[in-house]
Amino acid sequence: IVNPKNEILKTFPLYNEITLYLESLQNSHSDILQTFTIGKSFENRDIIGVKISSGGSGKPALFIDAGIHAREWIAPTTAIYAIKQLAENASNSYIFDNIDIYIVPCLNPDGYEFTHRNSANRMWRKTRSTKKFSPCVGVDANRNFDFEWMTVGASSNPCSETYAGVTAFSEPETSALRDFLLSKNNTIKVYITFHSYGNFLLHPWGYTEELPTNEPTLRCVADKAENKLSQKRGTHYEIGSSTNVLYAAAGGSDDWAMGVAGIELAYTMELPSQRYGFAAPRSEIIPVGQETFEAIKIFAKYVEGV
Ligand code: ING
Ligand code: ZN
C-alpha cells in the first residue's frame, strides 16, 4: 500500500487519490485542516475542498480553486502542493495565523477523470454534463458564471469548446462554487483560480476592455506576487486584465467573484507549462508548485492586511 502523503505529487493523481489524500490530512492534522464538500458534480462525485485555519471566527479568508478545466492538470497539483505545504510543513503555519484559507483543488472532477481515462480524451476541457436532445457533452465551466453571461467570447453551440451552457450556472460544479463563495458572506477577500497554460496573471474584466476601478490594487498585489514568484527559478508572468492581455471572454469565475460576489481581488493564474502545452510532464509538478506557493504567500499577506 502506498503512503498517500509521500506519493501524492509524484505524478498527476486520479480524483479519488486526491480525495483520499485530503482525508488523510484531515486525520493527521485535524487541529488545522478540515475537509468539506461544496456539492456534487454531474456524475455525482463529491467536490472536495479543505479549510486551513488556526481557529477562531470571523477571520478574513483567501479562496483558491483549480481544475475548472479538465485538461489543465498542473492546476490541481499546484493547489495540492499548497495544501501540503500549509498542512504538513509547520514552518508555514504563520501564513494562516490570522486568516482562513479555503482550497478546492479540482472543481471539475468528471472532466478531470475523463482526461485520465484514456489518452484520446486527454484534451477535454469542459464538464461532462449531458442534456436530452443535445448532440454534444459538456459546458465550458469558465463561461458559465452569471456575470455578463454570453456577451462575448462564449458560444451558444453545445458542441463548441467554449459553450456557455443553456443558462448561467447550468452546471452543478459552477453553482456549487457560487453557493460556497456566497455562504462565506464577505469574509473572502481574495479569489484565485488556477488554469494553464501561459504565464499570465490575469484579473477582471474578461467581458470588457474597460478596467475595474480597483485596477491599481489588483496590479500592485499581482506585481508583488510575480516578483516573489520569479525569484524562485526565474519564471515571469505577464500581468493585466484577461481582455487586454489574452482575449475577451464573459462568464469566467474571476469576473463573477469580483463583480457579483463582492470579493475584493480576483485572479486567474495561467500556470507555466507552455513548453509542453496542457500536458506538462510530472517533473514540473514540484517546481511549479514551489514557485506558485511564493505568490500565494503574497496574496495571503494582502488578506491579512499587512
Ligand atoms: N484560459 C482562460 C479561459 O477560460 C480567461 C482565460 C480567464 C479568459 C478569465 C477570460 C476570463 O479561456 C484558460 N486556459 O482556460
Ligand atoms: Zn482553463
Side-chain angles (χ1 to χ4, degrees):
I1 260 195
V2 296
N3 178 345
K5 283 206 173 59
N6 294 328
E7 301 291 325
I8 186 69
L9 292 178
K10 291 207 166 145
T11 184
F12 295 96
L14 296 172
Y15 190 65
N16 76 318
E17 295 173 316
I18 296 174
T19 299
L20 283 173
Y21 171 66
L22 298 182
E23 283 166 355
S24 82
L25 277 185
Q26 175 171 53
N27 290 333
S28 54
H29 296 84
S30 57
D31 50 333
I32 52 163
L33 184 145
Q34 286 173 288
T35 61
F36 57 84
T37 61
I38 65 168
K40 286 191 180 286
S41 68
F42 185 84
E43 292 174 350
N44 221 32
R45 292 182 176 88
D46 281 324
I47 303 169
I48 192 168
V50 298
K51 178 183 184 181
I52 297 159
S53 174
S54 57
S57 61
K59 287 179 173 174
L62 169 65
F63 179 91
I64 298 171
D65 67 43
I68 282 183
H69 289 138
R71 64 191 172 195
E72 300 167 8
W73 287 6
I74 197 76
T77 59
T78 299
I80 294 163
Y81 182 91
I83 295 170
K84 193 170 174 49
Q85 281 302 313
L86 291 165
E88 295 189 44
N89 190 342
S91 69
N92 287 322
S93 65
Y94 74 92
I95 298 167
F96 55 93
D97 273 345
N98 302 310
I99 71 169
D100 292 339
I101 302 177
Y102 300 98
I103 303 180
V104 176
C106 191
L107 191 77
N108 174 12
D110 301 349
Y112 184 77
E113 281 302 287
F114 186 68
T115 60
H116 274 270
R117 206 158 306 150
N118 92 48
S119 58
N121 307 335
R122 179 65 185 82
M123 287 299 131
W124 190 259
R125 164 177 167 99
K126 297 190 282 182
T127 62
R128 292 295 299 163
S129 61
T130 53
K131 266 195 93 54
K132 260 191 190 155
F133 310 119
S134 175
C136 287
V137 175
V139 164
D140 183 346
N142 214 33
R143 300 292 181 276
N144 193 236
F145 288 77
D146 194 8
F147 183 66
E148 300 289 331
W149 180 75
M150 269 293 290
T151 54
V152 65
S155 174
S156 58
N157 174 359
C159 301
S160 164
E161 283 285 75
T162 55
Y163 176 44
V166 251
T167 58
F169 289 126
S170 59
E171 303 309 282
E173 297 84 1
T174 56
S175 54
L177 181 59
R178 169 198 63 197
D179 294 346
F180 181 82
L181 294 176
L182 292 178
S183 76
K184 297 299 159 207
N185 40 55
N186 301 320
T187 60
I188 298 171
K189 304 299 174 199
V190 177
Y191 169 86
I192 314 280
T193 182
F194 291 148
H195 286 252
S196 74
Y197 56 101
N199 298 59
F200 298 114
L201 186 36
L202 307 171
H203 61 68
W205 305 115
Y207 79 95
T208 175
E209 62 189 30
E210 268 157 53
L211 293 170
T213 52
N214 64 342
E215 185 269 344
T217 310
L218 284 161
R219 174 167 294 277
C220 172
V221 177
D223 275 340
K224 276 188 201 158
E226 201 272 345
N227 184 55
K228 188 87 186 301
L229 183 159
S230 68
Q231 287 167 26
K232 205 78 195 176
R233 58 162 183 167
T235 302
H236 283 282
Y237 275 75
E238 191 177 343
I239 298 165
S241 82
S242 312
T243 303
N244 296 334
V245 167
L246 252 192
Y247 43 75
S253 66
D254 55 352
D255 272 17
W256 183 85
M258 244 179 63
V260 180
I263 295 172
E264 283 177 32
L265 307 182
Y267 297 96
T268 297
M269 243 178 130
E270 296 280 358
L271 299 170
S273 67
Q274 64 272 54
R275 278 175 61 200
Y276 321 96
F278 295 106
R282 59 189 182 185
S283 58
E284 281 294 286
I285 294 174
I286 301 297
V288 174
Q290 280 174 336
E291 66 187 12
T292 310
F293 191 58
E294 296 302 311
I296 290 172
K297 290 183 209 166
I298 300 295
F299 295 124
K301 262 194 198 174
Y302 176 84
V303 172
E304 196 174 357
V306 297

